[in-house]
Amino acid sequence: NAGVTQTPKFRVLKTGQSMTLLCAQDMNHEYMYWYRQDPGMGLRLIHYSVGEGTTAKGEVPDGYNVSRLKKQNFLLGLESAAPSQTSVYFCASRGSTGRTESNQPQHFGDGTRLSIL
Amino acid sequence: RKEVEQDPGPFNVPEGATVAFNCTYSNSASQSFFWYRQDCRKEPKLLMSVYSSGNEDGRFTAQLNRASQYISLLIRDSKLSDSATYLCVVNVRTGRRALTFGSGTRLQVQP
């Protein structure tokens, strides 16, 4: 089972360039998330989605945009990359099954290591 | 105050030792709890859910104390392969429907 797949796994950008990170899940999960992880900071939620066609801001949304046009895909865009966005980006998904929703864990992709020069 | 707080460590223990981590959470409306494990430069992976009555999975035991708002993880007979960062994770029922992650406690098991 593929689970959650992130592409690309590594990328180096120059300041001001744009790019899109792709997350795909094959578990039919309703909820999807984008996090960034920096040394000593833990996981910080950038944006999330509770269903196809819906997105919302997390803790650190500035400089990022997202789209969820299809249930299985969640895209994270950087319109004008800045060195402060150098980080490891993780996508995650989570199921929604009514009464047991609160017990559902999140499943993570392998991460995308992004460096902005 | 952070929603989920953990001692960052590192905890350096010899093989075979028993080690325990605690985690405190601030929101009394928290509903469910997990421990995740994260290896260096890898994605977090679910280690175990934490149930109110406490639960065990092999060498790992998790406990929840709702009154004091803390969660613990006990690892018995530590192995070298247990070396990792352990993330305490809490689900607070909000519109966000996202889990809240602690910053992690680093464990280093030494031969």
Side-chain angles (χ1 to χ4, degrees):
Chain A
N1 291 333
V4 180
T5 304
Q6 290 182 233
T7 53
K9 297 200 183 311
F10 305 93
R11 187 72 183 268
V12 178
L13 291 178
K14 293 181 180 178
T15 297
Q17 286 186 314
S18 63
M19 79 161 294
T20 300
L21 280 63
L22 170 64
C23 176
Q25 52 96 4
D26 61 2
M27 296 173 283
N28 201 35
H29 284 169
E30 288 293 330
Y31 309 145
M32 295 188 74
Y33 314 91
W34 276 107
Y35 293 88
R36 61 178 288 174
Q37 188 174 37
D38 302 292
M41 298 290 289
L43 287 162
R44 293 186 290 170
L45 183 65
I46 304 171
H47 286 279
Y48 65 99
S49 169
V50 298
E52 181 179 319
T54 70
T55 63
K57 294 179 180 180
E59 303 167 59
V60 288
D62 294 342
Y64 305 95
N65 57 74
V66 287
S67 64
R68 183 108 180 261
L69 298 179
K70 293 183 178 180
K71 186 177 182 178
Q72 62 268 33
N73 295 337
F74 194 29
L75 306 180
L76 177 71
L78 285 73
E79 291 183 345
S80 180
S84 61
Q85 294 177 304
T86 293
S87 188
V88 180
Y89 292 85
F90 287 105
C91 176
S93 71
R94 183 163 173 245
S96 164
T97 54
R99 288 190 306 165
T100 63
E101 175 199 320
S102 65
N103 294 327
Q104 298 294 320
Q106 286 177 195
H107 301 268
F108 285 84
D110 292 346
T112 296
R113 281 152 186 80
L114 185 61
S115 293
I116 317 294
L117 304 178
Chain B
R1 183 184 174 190
K2 289 183 180 179
E3 289 189 62
V4 179
E5 295 207 57
Q6 297 182 250
D7 181 342
F11 284 59
N12 296 305
V13 302
E15 270 188 290
T18 296
V19 61
F21 310 134
N22 285 335
C23 160
T24 58
Y25 59 95
S26 60
N27 193 325
S28 59
S30 300
Q31 292 189 310
S32 52
F33 310 88
F34 309 91
W35 283 101
Y36 276 68
R37 170 194 170 128
Q38 186 173 26
D39 294 292
C40 187
R41 300 177 68 80
K42 299 284 190 180
E43 77 276 20
K45 292 185 177 178
L46 178 67
L47 178 66
M48 60 196 301
S49 299
V50 185
Y51 301 119
S52 297
S53 56
N55 50 298
E56 189 174 302
D57 183 1
R59 297 180 294 107
F60 299 85
T61 301
Q63 296 279 353
L64 168 64
N65 185 319
R66 286 190 185 270
S68 301
Q69 294 182 202
Y70 80 81
I71 308 149
S72 64
L73 177 68
L74 181 78
I75 305 175
R76 291 181 299 279
D77 189 22
S78 299
K79 311 291 185 191
L80 294 176
S81 57
D82 294 334
S83 297
T85 296
Y86 291 83
L87 306 174
C88 174
V89 185
V90 173
N91 179 38
V92 181
R93 190 170 182 84
T94 66
R96 182 186 295 176
R97 289 192 164 91
L99 302 181
T100 301
F101 287 76
S103 298
T105 297
R106 188 170 160 222
L107 172 66
Q108 185 66 47
V109 181
Q110 296 164 336

